[in-house]
Amino acid sequence: MRTSTTSGKHSPSKTVLKTARVLLVAVFWLALWQGICMWLDNALLMVSPLAVVKRLIELSGTADFWTAIGVSFGRVFLGYLLGTLAGVVLGTAGGFSGAVHTLLSPLLAVVKAAPVTSFVILALVWIKSYNLSIFVAFLVVFPPVYMSVYNGIKGVDRNLLEVAQVYRFSKRKTFRLCYLPAILPLFRTAVSTAVGFAWKAGIAGEVLALPRTGIGTMLRDAKVYLETLDVFCWTAVTIFLSVLVEKLVLRLAKGRGEAAKCQSSSQN
Amino acid sequence: MPIVVTKLTKSFGDKMVLENFSHTFPDRGLTALMGPSGVGKTTLFRILLGLEKADAGSVSGLEGKRISVVFQEDRLFPQLTVLQNAEVAGSGGACWLQKMGLEAELSSRPDSLSGGMRRRVALARALCADGEVFLMDEPFQGLDEARKQEVMEIFRELKAKKAILLITHDPAEAAFLADETVTL
C-alpha cells in the first residue's frame, strides 16, 4: 500500500514561522545597530539604519547610482564568466591530462594563496583601471571552478567507466553518462560560492584601481570625503547585490543541473 | 570460433593470481568456472574483457565479438531509469525487464530498488546488449530461489546460441546450467 504525505517544505504554518524568525533576527540586529549609533552619537563613526534607508532612496533617484551599479555588475559578471569558462576548459584538460594539471598547479597555488590586493597592485601596472575588476573577478573564480571540474573527473566511478569501455560507448556518451554526473554537483557548488568571491573581490579591485565609475569608486570617494553615510549605503548595496546574484546563480546552476540530468536520461 | 586461452599468467605484486591457465571455451554452450575465492576467476574475466593486461599468455577468438557482461557488482547508472539502464548498450529493454519481473519499475531509479531487483536490471542490460559472448560473474547472487530459477531458465535457453562463461560458487547453478565445469 502506498501512502502519501504532505511535504512540509511549503506548508503555510512553516512558512509563517520561518518568516517570523527571519524578521525577529533582522529586528534584533537593526535594534543593536540603532543602539550603538545612539550610544556613539557621532555621524562620522556610525550612522543609523533609518538614515541609510533615507539616503539609499535619495541615491536611487540619481543616474550616477544606477550607472555605478550597472558598470560594476557588468565588469564583475564578465570576469566571473571568463573565470568559469577558463575553469571548465582547463579543468577538463587538467582532469584528463596529468601534464596539463602539473603545468597549471603552480599557477593555481599562487592564485589561491596570494592576497587579492597583491594582484590588484601588480595588475594596475599592466591593465587599465577600467578592466581591473574583470581581471580580479576572473582570478578568484578560476581556481575553484577549475578544481571542481578536475576533482569531478578524478572522482568518476571507475566501475561505470569499465561498463562504458566494455560496451564501447562513444567518447561523448561516456562523458555524458559517466563524467558529467560526477562533475555537476561539485561544479554547482563552485560556481555558486565563486560568485560571492567575484563580487567582493571585484569591488575591492575598484576601490584600489579607481575607475571612472563603479561601486568601488563611489565607496572610495565617500571614504575620502568622510561621507560615512554613503560608505554605509554603498556597502549595503554591495551586500544586497552579492546575496541576490549568489541566489540567482545557485538557482540557475540547480536548474541547469536538473536539465542536464534530464538530458542525460532522455538522450540515452 | 572458440575462445582459446593459452598459458595465461597474471600476478599482482608478489601474489600470483593466474599461472599458465589454458582452456578452450566453445563458441556455443555454457561453461561454469568454479573455485575458491582469490583463485583468479574474476581476473580471468577482466583479462578477457580487456580491462586487465596479462603478464604472459594469449587470448584468441574474441576479436571483433560483441560481449555482454554481468559484473560482480551491479554497476548501474544512478541517474538513469531502469529501462534506460537496461538499454544503455542495446534495445529490447522493456521485453527483457518484463521477463525479469520488473515491468512495474521501468521508470524507477536504481537507488529505489532492492538488491535483487538491481541484479535483474544488470542481467537485463547484458541481455539487451545481445553479445555473442556472455561473461557473467556470480550473476544470480541476491535473487530469491523462485526468481533465480526463472532467470536461469532464460540463460539455459540462450546457451544454445551463445558462448556463456559463468563464474559461480553454487554447484547447483553449475549443475543446472553448465555444459562443462572448469575448476581453477
Side-chain angles (χ1 to χ4, degrees):
Chain A
M1 191 179 79
R2 283 180 191 272
T3 55
S4 64
T5 53
T6 310
S7 165
K9 199 179 171 189
H10 298 298
S11 70
S13 57
K14 281 203 170 179
T15 312
V16 170
L17 267 174
K18 198 178 169 190
T19 312
R21 203 163 44 216
V22 170
L23 279 173
L24 270 173
V25 170
V27 166
F28 169 80
W29 287 107
L30 285 171
L32 188 71
W33 178 3
Q34 181 68 36
I36 293 171
C37 179
M38 286 163 73
W39 178 63
L40 287 171
D41 195 24
N42 184 337
L44 260 182
L45 294 177
M46 183 69 90
V47 290
S48 73
L50 200 64
V52 171
V53 174
K54 272 188 194 166
R55 179 66 180 147
L56 269 175
I57 294 167
E58 212 175 286
L59 282 172
S60 64
T62 65
D64 285 352
F65 177 81
W66 296 107
T67 309
I69 289 176
V71 167
S72 290
F73 186 84
R75 287 182 195 132
V76 171
F77 186 68
L78 186 60
Y80 173 78
L81 217 61
L82 291 172
T84 304
L85 197 70
V88 168
V89 172
L90 294 173
T92 307
F96 287 112
S97 158
V100 173
H101 183 64
T102 309
L103 189 73
L104 291 172
S105 289
L107 181 73
L108 282 161
V110 168
V111 172
K112 277 197 282 187
V116 175
T117 40
S118 306
F119 281 113
V120 172
I121 291 162
L122 199 62
L124 268 173
V125 182
W126 313 318
I127 301 171
K128 283 181 183 170
S129 64
Y130 182 88
N131 293 327
L132 194 105
S133 49
I134 301 173
F135 176 70
V136 171
F138 172 91
L139 274 185
V140 294
V141 170
F142 172 65
V145 175
Y146 175 95
M147 287 313 295
S148 72
V149 177
Y150 173 80
N151 287 330
I153 290 170
K154 288 293 165 198
V156 71
D157 187 336
R158 298 280 148 194
N159 282 347
L160 294 182
L161 278 185
E162 287 185 354
V163 172
Q165 190 183 334
V166 169
Y167 287 125
R168 297 172 195 160
F169 287 2
S170 65
K171 278 185 180 165
R172 198 174 158 186
K173 190 171 177 179
T174 304
F175 188 81
R176 189 162 45 78
L177 291 183
C178 300
Y179 287 102
L180 210 54
I183 294 169
L184 274 178
L186 301 174
F187 178 72
R188 272 200 293 271
T189 309
V191 289
S192 52
T193 45
V195 76
F197 294 157
W199 190 249
K200 278 177 266 190
I203 302 301
E206 283 182 350
V207 170
L208 291 166
L210 288 180
R212 204 162 50 84
T213 184
I215 294 175
T217 309
M218 295 299 192
L219 258 171
R220 173 71 175 245
D221 285 353
K223 185 229 165 200
V224 168
Y225 298 114
L226 296 174
E227 288 165 350
T228 311
L229 184 57
D230 281 11
V231 174
F232 270 82
C233 284
W234 285 111
T235 306
V237 168
T238 309
I239 293 168
F240 174 75
L241 286 175
S242 177
V243 171
L244 188 76
V245 173
E246 195 172 329
K247 283 200 183 300
L248 202 72
V249 168
L250 198 65
R251 185 164 289 189
L252 271 173
K254 205 174 169 187
R256 281 301 304 155
E258 291 304 317
K261 206 187 271 182
C262 294
Q263 205 178 29
S264 108
S265 306
S266 66
Q267 284 178 1
N268 166 48
Chain B
M1 193 179 167
I3 303 156
V4 183
V5 176
T6 313
K7 292 186 173 176
L8 218 54
T9 300
K10 176 73 185 176
S11 61
F12 294 102
D14 295 338
K15 195 183 175 201
M16 182 68 77
V17 181
L18 271 177
E19 193 171 6
N20 283 326
F21 176 77
S22 297
H23 193 78
T24 299
F25 298 96
D27 58 356
R28 297 282 185 277
L30 193 146
T31 306
L33 289 162
M34 298 190 76
S37 298
V39 81
K41 303 182 296 292
T42 300
T43 304
L44 172 66
F45 262 32
R46 292 181 62 79
I47 293 170
L48 295 178
L49 288 167
L51 300 173
E52 210 80 64
K53 213 171 155 9
D55 298 336
S58 65
V59 176
S60 67
L62 278 175
E63 303 82 5
K65 278 186 183 162
R66 189 167 175 78
I67 299 176
S68 282
V69 60
V70 179
F71 288 98
Q72 212 168 40
E73 316 82 19
D74 305 317
R75 303 196 183 191
L76 302 178
F77 292 91
Q79 77 276 25
L80 301 184
T81 64
V82 163
L83 180 62
Q84 287 163 342
N85 262 295
E87 293 191 334
V88 82
S91 56
C95 177
W96 285 119
L97 287 165
Q98 191 187 9
K99 287 187 179 174
M100 295 283 165
L102 290 169
E103 62 275 13
E105 303 291 344
L106 298 188
S107 53
S108 305
R109 306 267 169 195
D111 58 5
S112 69
L113 303 180
S114 70
M117 285 168 145
R118 283 200 295 270
R119 201 72 193 136
R120 281 181 272 155
V121 179
L123 283 158
R125 178 172 66 187
L127 289 161
C128 287
D130 195 26
E132 292 156 82
V133 179
F134 276 67
L135 299 184
M136 307 203 293
D137 195 347
E138 299 181 48
F140 311 119
Q141 62 178 346
L143 303 190
D144 62 73
E145 271 311 312
R147 187 67 70 187
K148 185 172 158 182
Q149 205 57 41
E150 283 174 28
V151 176
M152 284 203 299
E153 205 58 62
I154 294 173
F155 287 96
R156 198 152 83 150
E157 279 175 36
L158 200 70
K159 71 178 185 177
K161 295 180 278 181
K162 312 277 183 186
I164 304 177
L165 274 64
L166 167 79
I167 292 178
T168 180
H169 288 290
D170 184 352
E173 273 179 27
F176 182 75
L177 285 169
D179 300 305
E180 180 192 14
T181 300
V182 176
T183 307
L184 268 81

